[in-house]
Structure formats: structure tokens, C-alpha cells
Amino acid sequence: MHPRERRTNRRHFLVGSAGAVAALSGADALLQAADALAGRLGAPIGPGGIPLARRGFPVTLPLYSDNDPIASGRTTEKGPLNVFNWSDYVNPAVVKKFEKAYNVKVKVTTFENEEEALAKLTSGSAGFDVWFATVDYLSRMVAGKLIQPVNHSYLPNLKNVWPQLQSPFYDVHSRYTVPYTVYTTGIAWRKDKVKTPPTAFKNGYDAFWHAQKYAGKVAILDDQREAIGMGLRHRGVGDVNTENAKLVQAAANDLKQLTKTVNVKTNTTQYTDVPTGATWLGQSWSGDMAGATYYMPKNVPVSVIGYWRPAKNAVVGSDMITVLRGAKNPVLAHHFMNFLLDEKHGVENFSYLGYMPPLKVINPDKVIAQGYIPKNLGATIVRESDFANAVSLLPLTQQGQATWQNAWSAFKAG
Amino acid sequence: MRQRLLWPSFALPGAIWLVLLFLVPTYAVLAVAFGSVDPIFSNPVPVWDPLHWQFDTMRDVLRQLRPGEPFWTVFVRTFVYVTLALAGCLAIGYPVAYYLSRHARRTKKLLLVLLIVPFWVSYLMRMLAWVGLLLPDGLVNRALVDLGVLSHPYGWLDGQASSVIFALVYGYVPYLILPLYATLDRIERSVLEAGRDLGASPLHTFLHVTLPLSKHGIMAASVLVALPMFGDYYTNDVISGSPRTTMIGNQINLFFQGGPQRTVGASLVVVLSVLLAALMSYYLWVTVRASRDLV
Amino acid sequence: MKRFLDWWANPWGQPRTLAVVTWLYMLWAIVPVCIAVLFSFNDGRSRSVWQGFSTRWYWGDPDQSVLHDPALRGALEQTLKLAGLAMLIAVPLGVGLAIGLTRWRGFGARPVNFLMLFPLVTPEIVMAVSLLLVFVSLYKIQLGTTAQALGQVTFSISYVVLVVRGRLLSVGRQYEEAARDLGASTLGALRLVLLPLLAPAIFASLMVVFALSVDDFVVTDYLSSNSSTQTVPIKIYSSVRGTTTPALNALATVMVVATLVAVTFAALVYRRFNKLQQGGGGAVSELAALEA
């Protein structure tokens, strides 16, 4: 689940569409090659024959002859630029600055969950130029030729990005994407209520299993990958994309224990629950906690909130920006992506979102000193080293999805 | 000849609609439960020909229904919640229906109107109302703390079975009272007066005349309330955020939220429907037997 | 006060405990909803602590009020749109079905009657799942407003039949037969005599379908596609456990008021034409007649 999905529409249903058919036929020619490649690399094959990205097995997304990037040196279009983004996921002030700089209008259409976005994009008639994507859907969108490769001559600001994300493991050489935000999944707590926070344990996740005193005030994310992933990390399992049924079941059983001992709740509302005190110890996303100041009730200082994630092998996520294949303003789209990667604009965006862009200029200490993030929430900032030593929740095969879902169902049965 | 076809032709559009959008979908659930899954996009692939039905998924589901397995736990819990909630509904609803039908005079019209109002207030609005009241800083907690009953606010919304059952009662009792009232209303005064004339006390009349006569209505109203309650999942989602109180509807919902196992969800729906059909058949059998006895 | 004390002291009067229980039940059933409505007028952001009176959540607040927040207003519009579609389609189908079923003497009448009764006792999740699966796998209908409307009509038809059939049975065939004796054709008698007599029931069923559609959650949720197809119940369901503002209460209040107005209107119209039954009374006895 993406942090921006607020349990609005939970219908993760891909209605059979033209895009799906295209995915199959288009990738046919390359299926053999992709298969061989994946076989050598050992990565599982995803839909359309493109290997599922794994940290140990970087994926070079295929280029198709009928889906070329735009030529270099073209003139910028007049716009308006059509942007398709998560709701509330870009600073309107930054968008206005872009409009002024390029003398164009920008129209932002929002979506609330990934399936909704995909359904709209595959229906073909949407007419968007820019789309903010996630790793999950990248391979499907490439196979279905719904996004176009990017032309780096329009993206000089890519050099501002962390080196490891200039050519990320999910898109080697950044053929189709540029990075947008990075975030971690950690544990937030109320310092004034919880006397045994994650920082008091060698294995920070243990805090959940020792929170009997705070029964009823403990929450984990209502997402099977994040919750069971946490269970796996708690057990010291490094591969949070494992499809080993025994491991996954064991992690889910640990979570079941939490139901018994601390009456754990499952939700995705920690961004308000922890500030208001409805939850005292909750698994949450870094970007949510960075914005805690806004949700604090009167008379309660933000310094009561703490956020922790493991120093090594934290669960990390990242979002990216892409250009759609049928874009009417591809050059403008590139300029938009470049604009957001600019150091000043990136930081301005960060201050609005709470989710940070992977820009070299963002020095965690400076960010705290300048007051963008409260000192006690410094851990919400993702450092380059965190990302390098992190694990990511990546797409599973169908069998793997079934394994995880069964474990989750057993946990949810109570 | 034309006359014979006239009335059926009126009914035809509606009947066709129900066949296409109720009967066929019911069969589709079976076709999906006994079908397979598309390997690329994880969509369920229904198998329409019963001869080609695959029973692996159902076997798996039934295996998980054995005592001790997760689905068993959830089914038992759902059964318990529905039974307790139904008991609560009857305990509250029967006296109210009885009073309305037998005794209220001048205020009867007013009471009927008041009775009907919650019937038309959206179920979720009524749940919204209680969530607002049961919040840590809600009126209930503040009143209880002020009165000294509680030392600090209680987590009514933190996975409490009692809260869920309470919410079920609150939500469904209007659907019970109206049919009960209709039944009790139809019991003739003369029958009761006959009882009294023969020397029975009011309590005796109630126990041996009114109650047996209303038995039928009680069963009908209970069925009307219990059947939808079995499939309820949103009450639990709204009142409790915890896996401790999940009902079978929640489990079904889980499998339809994504992933390659909608066949499992469909299988659970089939199991639930069979269970409810069994209960319904029992009810119908009792009804038929009772009406035969009356003759 | 004195009358109350007298009534309380009278040992031969109406049963006091039952009366008290009934009135307490009425309070219990209605007061929480009234409190929720009250909080929709809260000046602050809290749903549980009163901070003064204000209409900001209805139209005052420039970003978050029902009028200005696109998500809330969209939900309201979608709810009303679906209700309109459901009324438009379900009522004619249901009226036809009711007339046909009541008059039909032939072979198919009993199975069709049975078929009509089934949606009434099917749990919503069963119906929602079955519709979802059949739309995606068989009919290839895209999820969204169309699918939601189709689903809502499906469970509404039976209620229309119940409401109209009650009236049909009490009206009887005599008026039509009189008209036919005076020379009208069967269809003419139907059009000129029966339908006008049925008018209050048809009107009542319109309002019943409106209320059912506006309150429906499960079927509408399962058949929704994205945020533009969210209705008010869906919005309430997804937001109620988070920290929402009283704008949610305001949205719910708007729908409740609309429903109550519609139902009251129907009741008054029905009563004006029919002295015997009142408001939902006809539907009530039909509901109770399910046992038959």
C-alpha cells in the first residue's frame, strides 16, 4: 500500500483492459530475451515478462522500437500540462512557480489509490502528460507501453539526486523514471506516555511485543506487506519479499500474539492518531510523522512525538515520476520533472509534503536546524546511507501474493 | 389468449432484470468459487460448466474451517455476535413493540413516527453518531469520568467485542421492531380478553396466550435481522479497529481487496450462503409445520 | 407534572414499566443521531467537544465545508445521481412486476414471486460480491456509476413490489372491472383507472427507493471505481475512524434530512389518499407478511 492511500477505495481490481492485451503482445518479441536475462539474474518474472525488480537483481527495463523517447532539442510546448498525481502530493506553491517560470498552466488531477490510477491510465482516453508512479506498477506500465522512456538531455537536475538513485535497481540508467520521494516505515510513539520506546530495546521492533502496559493504544499499519514485513524484520529476516510460507506464517503468528497481548489495532491513521494521543505506539511512515506538527492539539508540543527506524535494513520506499506515452506536452513534462529535482524547489516541496526527495543538498542536520523538521523527528529524514542499507517491499509473484494474503487472513481472523 | 399473456408481460421486464442481475450473479459466485485464476493479472476466471468445476480452492477453504483453524474462529465468533445481538434486539424490541401494539393510546401515532425515524436514518450515520460519542474525549467517557464511574477514559473503540455487539443491536433493532409490531398488532384483543375472562392474570395471559401467538412473528423478525447481520463487516470496521472482533464479512472483504485469491473469497461467500440457507430452511420448515398444525 | 404523578400512582392504569422502557428506547434511538447533527454545527474541529455554534462546515469554511470541499460535494452529487437513476429504473420495473405478479394466474407466477423475494433476505455482501464478479467476468461492465446504478436497482425492485402490491391488493379489481363494463379495453382500464389509484403507492415506492439508494453502502462500495464514484455512506465509512472534522457530520446530516423529508412527503401523500394505512405501515405489514 502507498502511504497516500487513505483507505478510501479498497477495490484493488484490474478490470481487463486494452492495456493488458497490449502488455502481452508487445512484450512477446522480448519475452525470450527477458526470460533469459531473468534466468541469469534469478529474479522472478512479473507480468509482461519483465523481471520483478529486486535489490540484488537490478532490472534494466526494455526499450521498444515503437516507443522511443522524444528527440533532444525540441521546443517547449504551450501547455497546459496535465499532471496525474496522488492527492495532495505536490506543493501547490511549487506548481505555481513552474507555471510562472514556463508561462504555462498546469492542471493536476488526483487519484487515491494505485488501481484507480492504473484503470484510468489504461483506459487510454485520459490525456495525461506526467504520472507519479510506484515500483509496483512500473513493469506493467513499461510492458504495456503506457509510459515513454525519458530523454536525459532535458533532465540536467538529475545530477542533484543521490548517486544510487540516478540509476536505481528498479530502473537501471533511469530509462523511464526519475525519483520523487523516499520514505521509511518505522515506529512512532508518544514520549510522554510510553516508557519503553523502541529506542530502549536492542531490536527496536520488540517495543510492540513488550507494550502490554499500553494495551489498546498500539497500532500497526493495515497493510499486509508492511505489517508482516515488520514481523519478518522483527525476527531478523532480511528478505521482506520472501515467498517462503513458513517464514511468512511465523511472522504473521507473531502479529497474532500482539492481538492477544496488546490488543493491537490496524489502521493507516497514525498521522493524526499519534499526535492526538489515540495511539501511543504505532507503526507509521516517515512522511506522516514529519508533518505531525500540523495535527498536534492545542497545548501539546510536538516534542512529545518520537520516530524510530532501524539504522540498518530499514524498510524503505520510493516514488518516481514518469512521462506518459501519449503525452501531448512531453518536453514540458520533462521540464516539470526537472523543475521538481531542482534543489530549491525540492526542499520547498519537502516542507509541504513531509516526504523528502532524494536530493544531495538535503542535509538532515541543516534541515533540522532550519526548522523544517522538529529535532525529535530527525529520524524521519532518510539519509543516503539509510537507503543503501535498506530493504524495499517489492512486487511478488502470484504464488507469493497468495502466501502473504493467507498469512494476513489468519492474522486478521483474530 | 392475449389476456393470458398480458399480465405476465407486465412482470417480464422486472423478472428478466432479476434473472440477469440476481440469479446469474448468484451462479457466477459458484462459477468463480469453483473456477481458476488468470496467471497474469490475477483476475478470477469463472468456469461455467459444472462438469469442469475445480474443487481445490473449496477443499482448502473447508480445511481451514475445521475447529482451531482461522476460518472456524471467525465463523464461531460471527455466530456468537449475531446470537447475542439478536438476543439484545429482542430484549429491547419486544417490550417496545408490545407496548406500541397493545397499550399506547393517545401517544400511539407519535410513537409510531418516532419508531420509523431511525429506520430511515442511514445505518452509517447512526454508527457515526456512536463513534463520536465513544471517542476518548467523547460525551460518554466524559460523563462517566465526571460521575466517577471511570478513573480515566475507556477505549470503547479499541477492539471491544461488547462495543461491536452493542453497535449491531443499535443498528439492527429498528428492523426488528417494525415487523414485530405488525405481528403483535394483529393479535386480536378478544383472544386476550378471553384469557383474562377465564381467570388468567396479566402475566399468565402474556406467557400463555400472547407469547405463543407472537412466536411466529418473532421468528420472522429474527430471520429478517439475523440474515443481514451475518454478512455485516462495516460495523466491525467502524466500531473496532482490531483483528479481535473480525466477522466473516471482514474475511470475505479481505480477499476482495486485491491479490490472486478472489476464488477464496467467492468460496467463503458460498459457504456463508449455504449456512444461511440452512438456517432459512429450518425457519421455513418450522413455519410450514406450524401453519399445518393450525389447520 | 401532577398528571404524570397521578398516572404513575394509578395501579390500574397502563403498564408503567413498559411505557418507560418504550420512551427510553425512543430516546436511545434518536438522541445520539441528534447529537451528531448538533456537532455538525460545531465551531471548532472536534466531533466530540462542543466549541460554539457555527455553520462553517456546511458552507462557511472555504476549503473543508461540504459546499467547498470537492470530495464531500462530489460524494453528495454522486449519491443524488445514483438515487435518481435508481428511482427512474427500479420503480417502473417494480410496478410492472407487482401488477403482473398480482394478476398472473399461470405457471410462472410462483417462481417469479420467489425470485422477487430472494433479494430481501440476501446479505448485502453476498449480493455485492456476486454483482462484482459477474460485471467483471461475464458482462464486462466497467465498475463505476453504471455498475453502481445497476446494483442498486436490483435490490430496490423487491421493495417497490412490496409497497405497490399492498395497495394493489387493497384496491382490488372492482374498479377496473367497472371500467371494462363501461367499454374500456383492458389496457385502457389499467391506464385510466388502476394507475391513478396506485399513484400514492407509486409515489411512496419512489421515496422508498430514494431512501434505500441514499443509505446503501456495501453494493455501492463494491461496485465503485475511484474517488469520483464515492457516495456519502462510503465517505463516512472511510473517514469516520480518522480525525475528520465535523464536515463529515454535516454531510451525513444533509443526507438524513433529505431522506426524512422524502419519506415524510411520501407518507403525507399516501395518507391523504388512503385513510387506513400510515407511512410505512403498508410496507410494515408486507414485511410481516413475509412469513406467509
Side-chain angles (χ1 to χ4, degrees):
Chain A
M1 184 193 273
H2 190 273
R4 292 326 263 194
E5 288 181 41
R6 295 269 178 248
R7 261 184 71 168
T8 43
N9 184 322
R10 303 194 288 174
R11 210 84 301 121
H12 291 238
F13 217 128
L14 180 61
V15 181
S17 60
V21 176
L24 289 177
S25 58
D28 250 357
L30 289 153
L31 208 61
Q32 309 270 27
D35 229 355
L37 191 73
R40 267 209 304 272
L41 296 176
I45 307 278
I50 300 180
L52 297 175
R54 291 286 184 269
R55 272 178 175 263
F57 306 115
V59 169
T60 309
L61 295 168
L63 290 169
Y64 302 102
S65 50
D66 55 349
N67 188 12
D68 281 331
I70 54 173
S72 311
R74 280 172 48 171
T75 50
T76 313
E77 303 92 356
K78 295 267 190 322
L81 185 68
N82 271 308
V83 173
F84 196 37
N85 195 359
W86 297 88
S87 54
D88 224 17
Y89 208 38
V90 68
N91 190 343
V94 171
V95 174
K96 273 209 173 54
K97 285 210 174 117
F98 177 78
E99 287 183 324
K100 265 239 264 315
Y102 285 85
N103 200 12
V104 292
K105 282 249 160 289
V106 176
K107 193 165 159 303
V108 178
T109 311
T110 62
F111 55 89
E112 309 262 335
N113 66 60
E114 303 175 290
E115 287 292 348
E116 167 192 338
L118 202 63
K120 206 159 185 169
L121 290 169
T122 51
S123 69
S125 56
F128 296 114
D129 301 305
V130 175
W131 175 49
F132 287 72
T134 59
V135 177
D136 278 8
Y137 290 81
L138 195 53
S139 44
R140 274 186 253 192
M141 294 297 279
V142 169
K145 295 189 208 160
L146 292 162
I147 55 178
Q148 55 171 290
V150 293
N151 183 328
H152 286 214
S153 68
Y154 297 101
L155 302 170
N157 283 336
L158 200 52
K159 66 180 187 330
N160 295 340
V161 169
W162 297 344
Q164 55 181 299
L165 279 178
Q166 288 184 26
S167 179
F169 65 93
Y170 52 80
D171 181 15
V172 172
H173 300 315
S174 281
R175 284 183 169 178
Y176 284 90
T177 67
V178 300
Y180 184 53
T181 58
V182 286
Y183 49 90
T184 56
T185 311
I187 305 181
W189 77 94
R190 285 289 296 257
K191 293 189 174 165
D192 52 339
K193 308 274 189 200
V194 175
K195 300 295 169 237
T196 53
T199 44
F201 296 88
K202 194 154 159 285
N203 179 349
Y205 296 112
D206 267 339
F208 282 118
W209 281 265
H210 288 91
Q212 286 86 341
K213 277 211 302 238
Y214 317 111
K217 294 290 192 194
V218 179
I220 58 177
L221 288 170
D222 187 16
D223 174 69
Q224 61 187 47
R225 296 299 307 278
E226 294 278 12
I228 300 184
M230 194 256 303
L232 286 171
R233 295 292 300 108
H234 172 244
R235 287 187 147 243
V237 175
D239 181 12
V240 292
N241 302 305
T242 178
E243 305 198 353
N244 180 327
K246 277 210 183 57
L247 284 177
V248 174
Q249 273 294 348
N253 283 337
D254 288 349
L255 292 179
K256 228 176 161 137
Q257 275 232 317
L258 284 183
T259 313
K260 288 195 185 50
T261 55
V262 304
N263 190 9
V264 70
K265 297 185 281 193
T266 60
N267 55 42
T268 56
T269 48
Q270 282 77 358
Y271 67 107
T272 63
D273 285 349
V274 177
T276 58
T279 300
W280 291 349
L281 184 71
Q283 184 190 19
S284 43
W285 287 298
S286 59
D288 280 357
M289 281 306 122
T293 323
Y294 179 66
Y295 293 101
M296 300 303 301
K298 291 205 223 320
N299 311 326
V300 185
V302 73
S303 52
V304 305
I305 310 249
Y307 179 82
W308 167 90
R309 75 297 187 266
K312 273 180 61 163
N313 287 335
V315 172
V316 121
S318 64
D319 285 347
M320 53 217 83
I321 324 179
T322 62
V323 181
L324 292 158
R325 187 172 170 211
K328 294 201 178 59
N329 307 286
V331 181
L332 203 54
H334 279 78
H335 287 317
F336 187 66
M337 295 188 341
N338 196 46
F339 195 80
L340 289 171
L341 290 176
D342 172 79
E343 298 180 341
K344 245 189 35 212
H345 304 133
V347 172
E348 201 178 336
N349 206 14
F350 174 30
S351 67
Y352 174 83
L353 284 182
Y355 286 85
M356 60 170 279
L359 298 175
K360 289 189 283 210
V361 73
I362 296 187
N363 180 331
D365 305 305
K366 256 210 313 209
V367 162
I368 295 174
Q370 286 174 331
Y372 281 118
I373 302 280
K375 186 148 173 286
N376 52 302
L377 292 172
T380 61
I381 303 174
V382 186
R383 293 161 200 260
E384 262 187 273
S385 48
D386 293 331
F387 198 84
N389 294 322
V391 295
S392 302
L393 294 171
L394 298 164
L396 305 166
T397 63
Q398 212 175 66
Q399 182 57 39
Q401 286 175 43
T403 309
W404 279 69
Q405 195 172 44
N406 288 336
W408 184 240
S409 155
F411 160 66
K412 279 279 194 145
Chain B
M1 188 59 201
R2 231 193 70 189
Q3 182 73 320
R4 277 256 306 276
L5 289 179
L6 177 67
W7 300 122
S9 66
F10 267 91
L12 206 59
I16 294 182
W17 183 286
L18 285 176
V19 166
L20 285 179
L21 284 169
F22 183 76
L23 218 54
V24 172
T26 312
Y27 188 72
V29 175
L30 287 171
V32 167
F34 299 123
S36 57
V37 175
D38 146 39
I40 310 254
F41 290 101
S42 306
N43 286 338
V45 174
V47 171
W48 301 103
D49 181 2
L51 293 174
H52 292 127
W53 278 353
Q54 298 157 12
F55 296 101
D56 305 325
T57 316
M58 184 55 92
R59 253 199 291 265
D60 249 346
V61 169
L62 288 176
R63 197 167 36 86
Q64 289 204 293
L65 271 172
R66 290 177 318 191
E69 299 285 330
F71 289 156
W72 168 262
T73 318
V74 176
F75 261 107
V76 167
R77 187 187 301 129
T78 310
F79 199 77
V80 168
Y81 284 9
V82 171
T83 311
L84 289 175
L86 190 60
C89 284
L90 282 170
I92 296 176
Y94 194 90
V96 173
Y98 185 76
Y99 179 74
L100 260 170
S101 62
R102 303 269 103 222
H103 293 287
R105 299 254 187 283
R106 277 168 298 179
T107 47
K108 184 162 181 165
K109 287 223 176 85
L110 171 65
L111 280 174
L112 265 182
V113 169
L114 286 179
L115 189 68
I116 288 176
V117 164
F119 201 61
W120 298 116
V121 172
S122 161
Y123 187 93
L124 279 165
M125 166 78 169
R126 285 183 281 145
M127 292 300 116
L128 168 71
W130 274 104
V131 170
L133 288 174
L134 294 175
L135 285 172
D137 60 348
L139 285 173
V140 169
N141 271 323
R142 279 192 286 154
L144 288 176
V145 167
D146 284 344
L147 288 174
V149 176
L150 290 178
S151 53
H152 54 257
Y154 184 69
W156 301 102
L157 300 171
D158 293 331
Q160 308 293 354
S162 47
S163 302
V164 174
I165 297 177
F166 175 81
L168 283 172
V169 170
Y170 189 78
Y172 285 90
V173 78
Y175 301 101
L176 186 102
I177 295 189
L178 279 173
L180 256 186
Y181 160 76
T183 315
L184 289 171
D185 205 34
R186 283 201 285 195
I187 298 179
E188 307 246 343
R189 269 196 85 82
S190 45
V191 175
L192 296 178
E193 279 175 13
R196 296 282 286 274
D197 289 342
L198 288 170
S201 69
L203 183 63
H204 212 221
T205 318
F206 175 73
L207 282 177
H208 293 276
V209 181
T210 317
L211 203 54
L213 280 177
S214 58
K215 198 165 62 170
H216 214 207
I218 295 180
M219 287 202 74
S222 303
V223 164
L224 208 60
V225 159
L227 251 45
M229 226 193 262
F230 265 104
D232 187 304
Y233 67 90
Y234 36 94
T235 310
N236 174 55
D237 277 342
V238 163
I239 298 289
S240 152
S242 159
R244 270 209 317 213
T245 52
T246 50
M247 297 170 68
I248 192 62
N250 295 102
Q251 285 285 311
I252 295 177
N253 205 26
L254 190 151
F255 287 103
F256 280 99
Q257 281 175 24
Q261 299 202 100
R262 284 176 203 107
T263 42
V264 175
S267 306
L268 280 175
V269 169
V270 169
V271 171
L272 177 68
S273 305
V274 165
L275 172 69
L276 294 179
L279 287 176
M280 187 67 165
S281 315
Y282 170 69
Y283 161 72
L284 284 174
W285 175 70
V286 168
T287 312
V288 167
R289 217 179 54 158
S291 56
R292 238 184 297 136
D293 286 345
L294 280 177
V295 170
Chain C
M1 190 62 193
K2 184 177 181 308
R3 250 180 60 186
F4 177 74
L5 288 175
D6 280 343
W7 167 80
W8 188 268
N10 182 355
W12 307 117
Q14 307 296 326
R16 295 159 295 186
T17 29
L18 277 184
V20 168
V21 164
T22 304
W23 282 104
L24 278 180
Y25 165 73
M26 294 302 174
L27 285 178
W28 179 66
I30 299 187
V31 166
V33 175
C34 292
I35 296 181
V37 170
L38 185 66
F39 271 104
S40 71
F41 292 103
N42 197 8
D43 196 25
R45 303 175 65 96
S46 169
R47 282 185 290 156
S48 40
V49 178
W50 183 252
Q51 290 157 315
F53 185 91
S54 147
T55 54
R56 65 184 278 206
W57 304 112
Y58 285 91
W59 54 74
D61 194 295
D63 305 302
Q64 296 188 306
S65 61
V66 174
L67 185 62
H68 290 112
D69 185 341
L72 296 179
R73 206 179 57 234
L76 198 58
E77 286 165 2
Q78 179 75 2
T79 310
L80 293 174
K81 185 158 58 157
L82 283 177
L85 285 172
M87 287 197 290
L88 215 60
I89 304 176
V91 172
L93 286 175
V95 170
L97 197 54
I99 296 179
L101 274 177
T102 328
R103 302 288 162 82
W104 192 349
R105 292 280 165 265
F107 160 72
R110 284 194 78 136
V112 174
N113 192 39
F114 208 54
L115 178 64
M116 184 272 301
L117 286 176
F118 245 103
L120 294 170
V121 291
T122 310
E124 276 208 82
I125 192 170
V126 174
M127 209 183 303
V129 163
S130 63
L131 283 169
L132 176 70
L133 291 175
V134 87
F135 280 162
V136 170
S137 318
L138 187 60
Y139 297 149
K140 306 281 187 227
I141 297 179
Q142 286 267 2
L143 298 180
T145 309
T146 318
Q148 288 174 314
L150 291 175
Q152 287 193 352
V153 169
T154 309
F155 65 73
S156 301
I157 292 182
S158 309
Y159 287 92
V160 174
V161 171
L162 286 188
V163 173
V164 172
R165 199 158 64 168
R167 176 96 179 132
L168 253 180
L169 289 174
S170 66
V171 161
R173 306 191 73 137
Q174 60 228 42
Y175 300 102
E176 279 167 272
E177 283 174 5
R180 293 239 298 283
D181 287 342
L182 290 170
S185 67
T186 319
L187 281 176
L190 202 74
R191 191 169 48 93
L192 296 167
V193 176
L194 185 62
L195 281 182
L197 279 173
L198 281 182
I202 297 179
F203 190 72
S205 64
L206 274 171
M207 295 299 119
V208 167
V209 172
F210 176 81
L212 283 174
S213 159
V214 151
D215 291 349
D216 181 59
F217 170 68
V218 182
V219 171
T220 316
D221 188 30
Y222 264 74
L223 299 177
S224 64
S225 63
N226 57 36
S227 46
S228 69
T229 53
Q230 278 195 324
T231 58
V232 171
I234 298 176
K235 198 95 194 88
I236 298 179
Y237 171 79
S238 57
S239 316
V240 72
R241 272 189 85 85
T243 306
T244 59
T245 59
L248 194 66
N249 294 47
L251 185 66
T253 307
V254 169
M255 284 329 306
V256 165
V257 166
T259 313
L260 286 177
V261 162
V263 170
T264 315
F265 196 29
L268 289 175
V269 166
Y270 199 85
R271 222 162 49 128
R272 194 161 170 267
F273 286 91
N274 184 348
K275 298 290 196 304
L276 294 167
Q277 288 165 319
Q278 166 192 345
V284 166
S285 38
E286 271 292 343
L287 280 173
L290 265 181
E291 61 191 283

